[in-house]
Amino acid sequence: MPGMGNSELPIPDGLELRPFRGVRFAVDDPAKVTSPPYDLISDGDVHALLDSHPYNVVRLILPISPSGDANQPAPAGHFGESTPAPGTSANPRTPPAHSQPHGHSPAKPASAPGAPAAAPPSGRPAAAPQPGRLAAAPPSGRPATAPQPGRATVTPEAGSSEASPARYGQARDTLQAWLASGVLVVDDRPALYVYEQRGEHVVQRGLIGDVCLADPAQGIVLPHEDVMPGPIADRLALMSTTQANLEPIFLLYDGATGTATTLVDEVAATRPPLVTAHTEDGLTHRLWAITDEAEIDAVNADLHARQALIADGHHRYATYRVLQRQEHATRPQPAGSQVPSSGASPLSRRAGGGPWDFGLALLVDSRAYPPDLKAIHRVIPGLPLPEAAARAKGAWRVQDQEDLAEGMAALDAADNPAFLLAGAEGVHLLTHPDPVQLALAMPADRSDRWNSLNTSILTQFVLPKVWGLQDDEKTVRIVHHDPYAALRLAVETGGTAVLLKPLAVDDVLAVAAGGERVPRKSTSFGPKPRTGLVLRTFAID
């Protein structure tokens, strides 16, 4: 068809991290314009982040709908606008003094449509009402408090309610306005970015760059979780409309403390950072740019034969690949866009491919910096705890617990599989499932390792066989990390909290390496990259 581009996708021959020209905020306190990843932000957190700084990145990743509802997800099946966004300026701007070792001062941002016109970059909000700002209190009436260190959040599942496509256009317009006004500035040269997160008992370092998109069947980038259509539709609409990757996914690889990791540690120890940000969770975030082509080539030579596991960002990686197919089908592709075969050098491989053939990612050597794997709990609204426990007694040993603290200690000490049920009426520990019922419920075409995971047993046995429910976004609510938050939600909804132990890292790696995927929301690797330290736009990339 005339005007339709080459739909054949480039096929990478190994793990590759391409440099890009980062887009960064020109503000006095970079921490105040950052946020957690979009799927860890509750409604109350959206408002707190908006109140923390007029240019907080939450305006881009969770844009406010015309009705004023922040955090309103896209409806399942809506794939947003495929029309390219009007071109953003690709002219580099001078980074601010606080984030540039050469001491240049940023230009003062001018007022621009879509941006809070009167607020200076220092983070002091203007006294006058600002366009699109929300009131201090969220619609639920909960006070707008800042996210607390270690605080768990209830994930808003995208696809659960209607949302106007205009909110994605609003994110695009805000992004363009901030680029035009100097709120966002573009680094002069393409770079791989060394990223460090440091806090009490926490040190993690890795590389942020454009990861070359590979089919999971190739065994280069391995997903380990299933995905849902609603979040993919939401992120696709946002990426397609903004023509940007606004937050990195999180990848782990076994780097054997090789060349890439050695360089990462050397840069962090000897070079001045571009950005230093102290966030309210107690972490200090630092960012450095690697622009030397020889160093970038050495990194990619080290990475080429390795595998990466998606630790966080399954929906975004799936979205990257859907967007890649969409763009190849609708746009003329640049000459030489096919990624060369394995005989090509890292530099020549970087030269190939369009911006949609790559996605923003943080890559961390899990041997040098072992991840922290936490549990993700479930809440079943409308399933009263007495009913849940009574039904469970036909297949599990059910033991009453004094309170949640005692129950969590008992869960931690119990042999797998085990679950803790909690609600307004008390706490119960489930152990020792009936082996015959369990064997009949678990799929015969899955590996023994997969069938032994607590999330697999929950989705295949407890939910459908014991309670007659399906593990979907409408039936099951997700709560990250905090069992007390899960209990509170269960009480509020007249339901039951199902508390789990975290999976073992080795189990996750083995399942992924075998080509299987654990059930949705099985893992929470950390620390997750902070959103807003560096962005990527396709026009500039």
Side-chain angles (χ1 to χ4, degrees), residues 424-451:
E425 298 81 4
V427 180
H428 308 287
L429 179 68
L430 304 189
T431 59
H432 299 88
D434 180 277
V436 174
Q437 293 186 55
L438 178 60
L440 290 173
M442 303 310 291
D445 60 347
R446 295 285 193 171
S447 68
D448 290 343
R449 177 97 66 160
W450 191 93
N451 280 331

Side-chain angles (χ1 to χ4, degrees), residues 21 86-90 243 355 536-541:
R21 291 176 62 199
T88 56
S89 171
Q243 290 288 286
R536 172 187 181 239
T537 66
F538 299 159
I540 293 168
D541 185 88

Side-chain angles (χ1 to χ4, degrees), residues 202-268:
V202 175
V203 178
Q204 180 171 276
R205 291 173 181 159
L207 287 165
I208 296 177
D210 291 351
V211 69
C212 196
L213 303 182
D215 189 312
Q218 292 180 255
I220 297 171
V221 178
L222 297 175
H224 71 270
E225 280 191 357
D226 289 325
V227 295
M228 294 294 205
I232 293 175
D234 169 52
R235 293 299 93 179
L236 180 61
L238 182 66
M239 291 183 200
S240 177
T241 305
T242 60
Q243 290 288 286
N245 295 156
L246 300 172
E247 49 187 337
I249 63 172
F250 180 17
L251 303 177
L252 296 171
Y253 78 108
D254 184 350
T257 316
T259 302
T261 301
T262 300
L263 179 61
V264 163
D265 289 341
E266 177 189 327
V267 168

